[in-house]
């Protein structure tokens, strides 16, 4: 009889524990829903007058849906709903930032990522841009030069089940040839000109999107399109301000 009571008590405890886990999972799923929806509406509002940059089609629903589904607050140190979905860049430590949501959406749109694409990101940071790209592409290869950020972002992306993202520690100037060639490349730090190794690793028809210009001032968000094996076109689309591109001292 005692054995049966013990088994019954264990079953009750197990059921209660599962109920607690289920409640916590539900709470996490509904966390920041209003703030995230408001962020997407702000992005829509910014995109409406940007016809010169985006064309008449504006931001695609695929990009907006990726923004709506990605829990930005989990990619910042505070993990706060009010801070995480504010329309501004947010410091993530070590002199780096997570970009303004509209700029993330804009760069993603300009890269024209398709479901079968392989995409390179240079500058993983917190992993937020990689998470957006992961929902749009078949595979994302992301390079981060700061060890702490690379390790933290890789773990965060893994924990959030972004299984099609690979993060590597290294100097992004040289790209990631073993992971390419790439249909699109997104660079999240400013440099005086696009690195030649990156354009070499682009497929014909592929696009590289990055801020071009001097550090610690305004830069030009630039789209480089590879139209032939040794030929590219370049156009500036908007003024932005990004952290400088960090190079390895070696």
């Amino acid at each position: 009889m005692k054995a049966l009571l013990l088994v019954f008590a264990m079953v009750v405890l197990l059921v209660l524990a599962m109920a607690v886990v289920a409640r916590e999972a539900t709470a996490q799923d509904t966390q920041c829903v209003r703030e995230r929806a408001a962020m997407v509406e702000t992005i829509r509002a910014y995109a409406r007058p940007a016809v010169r940059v985006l064309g008449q089609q504006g931001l695609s629903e695929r990009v907006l849906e990726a923004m709506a589904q990605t829990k930005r607050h989990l990619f910042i140190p505070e993990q706060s709903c009010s801070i995480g979905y504010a329309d501004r860049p947010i410091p993530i430590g070590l002199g780096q930032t997570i970009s303004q949501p509209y700029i993330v959406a804009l760069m993603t749109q300009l890269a024209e990522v398709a479901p079968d694409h392989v995409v390179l990101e240079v500058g993983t940071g917190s992993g937020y841009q990689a998470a957006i790209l992961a929902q749009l592409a078949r595979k994302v290869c992301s390079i981060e030069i700061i060890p702490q950020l690379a390790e933290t972002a890789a773990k965060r992306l893994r924990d959030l089940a972004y299984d099609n993202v690979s993060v590597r520690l290294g100097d992004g100037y040289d790209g990631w040839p073993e992971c390419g060639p790439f249909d699109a490349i997104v660079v999240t730090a400013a440099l005086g000109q696009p690195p030649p190794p990156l354009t070499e690793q682009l497929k014909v028809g592929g696009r590289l999107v990055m801020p071009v210009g001097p550090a610690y001032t305004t830069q030009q968000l630039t789209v480089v399109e590879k139209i032939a094996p040794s030929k590219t076109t370049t156009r500036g689309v908007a003024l932005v301000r990004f952290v400088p591109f960090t190079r390895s001292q070696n």
Side-chain angles (χ1 to χ4, degrees), residues 22-178:
R23 281 200 302 272
E24 289 178 351
T26 301
Q28 287 179 356
D29 288 341
T30 58
Q31 193 176 27
C32 307
V33 169
R34 287 181 301 175
E35 291 87 351
R36 195 153 54 246
M39 179 194 74
V40 172
E41 289 310 306
T42 299
I43 292 170
R44 285 184 189 273
Y46 276 138
R48 288 188 193 107
V51 176
R52 186 186 67 83
V53 175
L54 293 167
Q56 292 293 337
Q57 75 279 1
L59 287 173
S60 74
E61 287 302 318
R62 289 185 73 235
V63 171
L64 289 168
E65 182 63 19
M67 301 294 294
Q69 293 298 320
T70 306
K71 298 176 180 179
R72 188 173 187 254
H73 68 285
L74 299 181
F75 292 86
I76 61 171
E78 300 87 350
Q79 297 204 349
S80 157
C81 295
S82 59
I83 296 173
Y85 298 97
D87 187 51
R88 60 180 177 85
I90 300 171
I92 57 172
L94 302 169
Q96 304 301 302
T97 61
I98 180 173
S99 295
Q100 175 189 0
Y102 173 65
I103 296 299
V104 173
L106 176 60
M107 293 180 74
T108 304
Q109 179 71 36
L110 293 171
E112 296 190 354
V113 181
D116 62 339
H117 279 182
V118 177
V119 181
L120 173 66
E121 179 196 26
V122 177
T124 313
S126 70
Y128 179 66
Q129 175 73 79
I132 298 291
L133 294 169
Q135 296 173 73
L136 302 169
R138 178 173 62 84
K139 180 181 178 183
V140 178
C141 306
S142 188
I143 306 175
E144 173 57 55
I145 198 168
I146 301 174
Q148 185 177 333
L149 290 180
E151 181 180 352
T152 302
K155 182 180 185 306
R156 180 179 292 117
L157 290 162
R158 188 167 57 249
D159 290 347
L160 294 173
Y162 289 104
D163 299 327
N164 60 337
V165 180
S166 298
V167 178
R168 188 179 84 169
L169 176 65
D171 187 339
Y173 188 93
D174 296 319
W176 193 342
E178 301 83 4

Side-chain angles (χ1 to χ4, degrees), residues 177-189:
E178 301 83 4
C179 216
F182 302 102
D183 300 280
I185 299 175
V186 175
V187 181
T188 61

